[in-house]
Amino acid sequence: MRKIFKVVRYILVAVCLIFFLFPVYWLVITAFKPSNEWFTMPPKFFPTRPTLSNFFGAKETEVFGGTTGSIENIFPYLRNSIVVGVSVALIGTVISALAAYAIARYRVGGPFLAEWIISIRMLPPIVSAVPLYVIFTKLRLINTWWALILSHLVIVVPLGVWLLISFFREIPREIDEAAYVDGATPFQAFFYVVLPLSAPGLAAVAVLSLIQSWGEFLLALVLTNDARAQTLPIFLGRYITGWRVAWGPLSAAGIVTMLPVVVFALIAQRYLIRGLTFGAVKG
C-alpha cells in the first residue's frame, strides 16, 4: 500500500511540474522560433530552424501602435526596471521594518493599525492611478523613476509591514531588554540585535517587493510615456499589435524580463522560505 501511495505521489508531483513548467518551456522555445513557426498546426515542440533574430538583428516595424522585430532596444527598459525594482525593494523593506517594529513592540496606532494597513491591499491599483497621476503632475514627477518608485511603495509596503509584524512578535522581547541592560538605545537594539535575527523576514519582504514592482503594468503605463522611465512590462506590450501578437520577440523579451527576478529569488531562496514560514507553526 505504501508503494502505491508513493507512486501516486510521484505521479502527482510530475503532473504539477509539467503544469507549471510547460509554459516556461514554451516561452523559451518560441523565443528561438522563426516567424513561420509561431502558428504551425500541429504545434512544434522544438524549433526546426532555431534563430536568434527575435533577440537581435531583425528590423523593427511599427504596426497599429505596436512593434514587431527584435528586442535589441530592450536595455533602457531593463535599466529602468532594475533601478525601480531594487529601489522599491530596499526602500520598502526599510519602511516596512521600521513601521512593523514600532507596531509590534510599542503598539503604535492601537490594536487595529495593522489591520488598517493591510486593508489598503484590498484596493485595486486602478483606484489610486488617477489620484497619483494628479499628484505627480503637480510635483512634476511624471515620466520619472520617482513616480514609479513612490507609487509602487504604496502597493508593497502594506504587505511588508504585515509580514514583519508577525515576524517581530515572534522574537522574544527579552532580547531587546538584554540589549538595553548592556547600554544600547532602542535604535541600537533594533539595528544591531533585532534586524539580524529578522534577516529571513527582511529577505522575504525584499523579494516580494521586487517581484511586485518588476511586474507592475498599470501604474507604469499611466505614469510614464517613453523609454526614459518605462519598465519592461510596458516594453512587452509593444509586441501585441492591432492585428497580431509577435510571439517570437514577445517570448524573447519575456525571457529577459524573467531571468533577473529568478536569479534574485534563487539567491535569496533560503531566507525567503524561512521568512514566509516563520511563525506559521508554533510548538
Side-chain angles (χ1 to χ4, degrees):
M1 183 63 69
R2 287 185 176 179
K3 290 184 178 180
I4 295 177
F5 281 120
K6 190 174 182 179
V7 171
V8 172
R9 183 174 61 183
Y10 283 140
I11 292 175
L12 291 176
V13 170
V15 171
C16 290
L17 284 175
I18 293 173
F19 180 79
F20 287 108
L21 294 181
F22 182 77
V24 179
Y25 168 75
W26 194 257
L27 176 77
V28 173
I29 64 170
T30 304
F32 295 95
K33 285 182 178 180
S35 58
N36 61 347
E37 294 185 9
W38 295 348
F39 303 102
T40 54
M41 291 299 294
K44 296 181 179 180
F45 292 92
F46 191 82
T48 55
R49 294 182 178 179
T51 178
L52 295 176
S53 61
N54 294 319
F55 290 90
F56 51 83
K59 183 179 179 181
E60 287 198 349
T61 56
E62 296 290 334
V63 182
F64 292 102
T67 302
T68 61
S70 67
I71 61 168
E72 282 186 335
N73 60 345
I74 195 175
F75 295 104
Y77 301 86
L78 178 61
R79 176 203 61 201
N80 296 337
S81 286
I82 292 174
V83 171
V84 173
V86 172
S87 299
V88 169
L90 293 177
I91 298 173
T93 302
V94 171
I95 295 175
S96 299
L98 293 172
Y101 185 75
I103 295 172
R105 283 291 191 265
Y106 302 104
R107 301 187 182 277
V108 173
F112 301 109
L113 180 59
E115 286 74 12
W116 180 83
I117 291 175
I118 195 61
S119 68
I120 299 176
R121 293 281 299 182
M122 299 174 63
L123 296 175
I126 188 64
V127 174
S128 60
V130 174
L132 288 174
Y133 181 84
V134 173
I135 293 172
F136 292 142
T137 299
K138 297 291 185 181
L139 297 175
R140 297 183 179 180
L141 292 177
I142 292 296
N143 202 39
T144 65
W145 290 339
W146 278 111
L148 295 180
I149 292 171
L150 294 174
S151 60
H152 290 178
L153 287 174
V154 175
I155 300 174
V156 304
V157 166
L159 180 60
V161 172
W162 180 262
L163 289 175
L164 289 177
I165 285 175
S166 60
F167 211 95
F168 288 139
R169 284 175 177 169
E170 292 292 334
I171 298 176
R173 191 181 295 269
E174 288 77 10
I175 294 179
D176 302 49
E177 295 173 353
Y180 299 153
V181 171
D182 291 336
T185 64
F187 179 79
Q188 289 173 330
F190 169 70
F191 189 80
Y192 293 107
V193 178
V194 177
L195 277 188
L197 295 174
S198 308
L202 298 175
V205 171
V207 172
L208 293 176
S209 299
L210 177 63
I211 293 174
Q212 182 75 44
S213 175
W214 194 268
E216 200 283 321
F217 177 81
L218 177 63
L219 294 176
L221 180 65
V222 172
L223 300 176
T224 61
N225 50 45
D226 60 39
R228 287 178 296 174
Q230 286 180 336
T231 51
L232 286 171
I234 306 301
F235 181 82
L236 267 64
R238 300 173 59 189
Y239 294 100
I240 303 175
T241 69
W243 64 285
R244 73 165 184 170
V245 178
W247 288 110
L250 182 61
S251 299
I255 292 175
V256 175
T257 302
M258 178 179 62
L259 281 179
V261 177
V262 171
V263 171
F264 181 72
L266 289 175
I267 294 173
Q269 181 180 19
R270 179 166 61 95
Y271 293 106
L272 178 62
I273 296 175
R274 171 64 174 160
L276 292 177
T277 58
F278 189 89
V281 179
K282 292 185 178 180

